[in-house]
Amino acid sequence: MPLHPQAEALRARRASSGAPPLYTLTLAEARAADLADIRAAAGTPEPVAAVEEHRIPGPGGELALRLYRPEPPGRPLPALLYLFGGGWTLGSPDTSDAICRRLTAEVGCVTASVGYRLAPEHPFPAAVHDCRAALAWLAGNAGRLGVDPDRLAVGGDSAGGNLTAAVTLLARDEGGPTLRHQLLVYPNTDHAADTPSLAEHDDPLLFNRRSVAWYWGHYLADPADGAHPHASPLRAPDLAGLPPATVITAEYDPLRDEGEQYARALRAAGVPVDERRYAGMPHGFFAMTGTLDAAADAQHYAAGRLREALR
């Protein structure tokens, strides 16, 4: 279908503002512009019972970790580690604040968001190892955090979806923790992707194939690293034994096909998968609940899937 009218209006506002594509800016400019755009489109933040700021050990030093609670600490609750997007180059826990609040409230889970190290200052695999450390910390401190260690999930959007896939591979291969679910929102899954969706989406007013190349260029110190399954999960030789997945894609997204390819590969490996493509939507729509009705629907769908998995 054509670009949804609400998404078309968003595109028109970008055109009239004259805002340049992020990939034409300096890193500092792109990081500031990305956060400002996300906050402007996210709408009113969902109230939660508490938000806690923690400092946790990471493989390269301390990491910031934000914890959202749906109710005061008491009985153990399921927990979700949510990994923000931004091409491994932009972003912080502030990037996914509205998403984490909404999922915390709708799922009834404790949600953690970790400030993993960004590229190009810290290229692959720094972010993967930081996210793995955050999951281990969450599981290892479950008792004092009021978290049920037997009801854990990981999720993320875009690069956060890529990191989610990598973390689930590591958890499977390194002895846990056992995960109930993985939420993959338009994830990057293959550095060498050569798909119709990547070729056809080149609109400078939307996330496009040049955006994808810019982010990968920052993330990989050596392009050969893109063959590693923790960078390109679609290249993993074995996907069996991974947690059930929810995969969300967008029609007007250069990453659409590789996200759907990963869903098919998971299913072929015996992993239960539920997937949904949002027609007329561009990449990034999941965070735009204040602008796009489909974003609220997608977050509600994701919350329902997580709630069912973690109950």
Side-chain angles (χ1 to χ4, degrees), residues 2 33 97 117 123 180 228 235 241:
D97 181 71
R117 289 171 291 170
R180 291 279 193 93
H228 196 290
R235 292 169 172 251

Side-chain angles (χ1 to χ4, degrees), residues 100-116:
C100 289
R101 287 172 175 273
R102 178 67 62 87
L103 294 177
T104 298
E106 287 206 30
V107 178
C109 66
V110 173
T111 302
S113 175
V114 63
Y116 58 82

